[in-house]
Amino acid sequence: MKKSKVLIQIFPMLKEIDYLERTLLLLKQSSLFIDREKYHLILDVTLPTSDYLVDWEKSVLKKDYFVNRLKNFEKYYLGWCDEYSLTTDDNVKGLLDWFSNTINKYSDLDATIIIEPDVVFGPYTLGLYLESNLQAKNISPNYIITAEYIKMWDTSWDIMVNSTYLNEPFNFRNTNDAIIDTYHLKNNGEINLKPLINNNQKYFKFGGGWFTLYSKHLIDTIDFPKELEGYGGFDNYVMNFCYNRPDLVTQYKIENLVITDKHNHTEHYDDYIYSLNQKQDLYEKNNEIMFKHFKSKFGF
């Protein structure tokens, strides 16, 4: 039987280096609960060290510190990845140019999973995603798979919130209880893969890197322009395509599998890394490129 080939992509900011270590540890733990005979897993981590993003002359922590930290993470991926690449990159400006370059390095992919380093997940998460990918692939080639979330920013996210947390306050995701519940998978209910439906219509709502799985066929269909660089609304671009072509795409959520993020404890690096904070720098340009791309290729 041919193995399902899945790429796991992680693009951390420098100040997320500690979160990256936690993520790699959680993935290694998750690897204990998957059938290695069924999957060919690739881990690709790129740490951006470009002068475009950081003024290294003004930074207390120098580039070598992060290069060495990354080298020391070897223990977290050896033994469960069939292929891996953990590198720094002095040229990449942001997620968009990194994503296109990374996903095109590998052939015969079934899907890619993008994980932001601040995401917290339990030990069965990776295995459930991989099994769900096999199910979804047998139904149609273009799909997105997500978990459920802790109570989010506003009610528009409630369709993605696990029923256990619907009545919690919006700031619940910032509490220690949310982290503990997510990791130990304390919520009740059967694990099911379900299409995301609202008012009898397909619905699309997800965070771009919240352990989100995209079929490779969908990424190829969207065909992101190669001139994209820096940061932009990656998830919004995908959702824009989905809402204009719901006949082609389905989003599934793994009901009763919950993830959350722990994103408010990176400030201790602020005094040591002189970030140029250019995440917004190319947003407008990228939005214009994607709008023209969708209009010319898909007519919307």
Side-chain angles (χ1 to χ4, degrees), residues 36-63:
R36 295 290 308 282
E37 297 300 317
K38 294 167 65 174
Y39 307 106
H40 181 101
L41 298 179
I42 306 169
L43 176 66
D44 198 301
V45 178
T46 300
L47 190 67
T49 51
S50 168
D51 294 342
Y52 174 80
L53 296 172
V54 179
D55 187 329
W56 290 109
E57 291 295 323
K58 295 180 180 179
S59 295
V60 176
L61 291 175
K62 303 302 182 183
K63 192 180 299 185

Side-chain angles (χ1 to χ4, degrees), residues 111-134:
T112 185
I113 300 172
I114 302 180
I115 306 177
E116 295 175 3
D118 58 0
V119 171
V120 181
F121 52 93
Y124 302 108
T125 302
L126 180 59
L128 289 170
Y129 266 85
L130 296 174
E131 291 294 324
S132 297
N133 180 62
L134 294 180

Side-chain angles (χ1 to χ4, degrees), residues 8-108:
I8 300 169
Q9 295 178 265
I10 307 176
F11 185 77
M13 298 304 294
L14 290 171
K15 66 180 183 179
E16 294 176 320
I17 190 74
D18 299 333
Y19 284 171
L20 173 61
E21 183 172 16
R22 179 187 66 191
T23 300
L24 295 174
L25 176 61
L26 292 177
L27 283 171
K28 186 174 181 69
Q29 184 183 46
S30 288
S31 72
L32 301 174
F33 301 95
I34 63 175
D35 184 350
R36 295 290 308 282
E37 297 300 317
K38 294 167 65 174
Y39 307 106
H40 181 101
L41 298 179
I42 306 169
L43 176 66
D44 198 301
V45 178
T46 300
L47 190 67
T49 51
S50 168
D51 294 342
Y52 174 80
L53 296 172
V54 179
D55 187 329
W56 290 109
E57 291 295 323
K58 295 180 180 179
S59 295
V60 176
L61 291 175
K62 303 302 182 183
K63 192 180 299 185
D64 285 351
Y65 169 82
F66 296 97
V67 172
N68 291 330
R69 282 289 304 275
L70 204 59
K71 289 179 181 177
N72 288 331
F73 292 165
E74 181 180 87
K75 56 183 174 291
Y76 298 123
Y77 59 85
L78 289 180
W80 70 270
C81 296
D82 298 283
E83 299 178 55
Y84 54 84
S85 173
L86 271 75
T87 61
T88 57
D89 193 308
D90 290 339
N91 298 308
V92 67
K93 292 182 177 180
L95 183 143
L96 293 177
D97 40 335
W98 157 79
F99 174 80
S100 296
N101 292 334
T102 302
I103 198 168
N104 290 320
K105 288 196 306 186
Y106 303 99
S107 60
D108 301 322

Side-chain angles (χ1 to χ4, degrees), residues 172-191:
F172 179 74
R173 59 193 277 265
N174 295 328
T175 67
N176 286 331
D177 286 343
I179 303 300
I180 293 169
D181 280 8
T182 300
Y183 179 74
H184 292 289
L185 204 64
K186 285 186 176 178
N187 48 296
N188 298 316
E190 287 189 17
I191 301 291

